Amino acid sequence: MPDDEGQIRTLIEQWAEAVHRGDIDGVLADHTDDIVMYDVPPPHEGVRGIDAYRETWPPFFEWQAQGAAFEILSLDVTAGSDVAYAQALLRCGTPKELAEHPESRLRLTVGLRKEQGRWVVAHEHHSFADTTAGSASDAAE
């Protein structure tokens, strides 16, 4: 569904731009009231509902005000008739963090559903690779 994929791509790009601007209304746009988000910081069980989702953003905006990047590098979308998912890699970090670890990427997975003819985000999952532990091959030794 190429047209749907384009709509979803635009929705996610606009969301990322709103995140970078610190625009909470833009961040919340096109999200369901029952959104579930698994994020990098706690709580480990994630947040549920648009109100809890909203509450996660002010600390991130404060951190980002230090000049941090929040930029989509790649975005892939797969859409069915009423559900879709997207996966993306983003540059996300302060200039110092990105200079020290230029390979670091925020991993984003988004689950969407079509409600009343429009796509809305029902799930977000944000993660970074765990760089504090040894690699999987180290653990196997």
Side-chain angles (χ1 to χ4, degrees):
M1 310 211 137
D3 186 50
D4 286 329
E5 290 175 10
Q7 290 173 18
I8 292 166
R9 178 177 293 278
T10 298
L11 183 155
I12 293 169
E13 289 169 346
Q14 290 174 343
W15 169 84
E17 291 168 6
V19 169
H20 188 65
R21 288 190 314 269
D23 171 9
I24 192 64
D25 291 333
V27 171
L28 298 176
D30 301 312
H31 282 66
T32 63
D33 287 341
D34 63 345
I35 184 167
V36 174
M37 179 180 68
Y38 300 137
D39 204 358
V40 174
H44 296 289
E45 66 275 4
V47 296
R48 298 174 187 283
I50 196 71
D51 293 334
Y53 178 78
R54 177 186 296 110
E55 291 174 16
T56 68
W57 287 103
F60 182 83
F61 294 155
E62 288 177 26
W63 169 82
Q64 188 174 239
Q66 303 173 57
F70 193 84
E71 166 188 13
I72 294 175
L73 299 176
S74 66
L75 174 59
D76 296 306
V77 175
T78 301
S81 59
D82 59 355
V83 294
Y85 71 92
Q87 55 202 21
L89 293 174
L90 293 86
R91 280 182 70 242
C92 179
T94 63
K96 181 179 186 230
E97 290 166 341
L98 293 173
E100 291 173 358
H101 302 284
E103 74 289 352
S104 180
R105 298 293 180 262
L106 175 66
R107 303 173 297 192
L108 171 68
T109 305
V110 177
L112 304 99
R113 63 183 182 237
K114 196 176 257 188
E115 291 184 350
Q116 299 176 344
R118 71 181 191 91
W119 289 104
V120 289
V121 176
H123 177 71
E124 284 180 30
H125 188 148
H126 314 154
S127 68
F128 283 102
D130 181 1
T131 58
T132 61
S135 69
S137 62
D138 291 343
E141 294 177 0

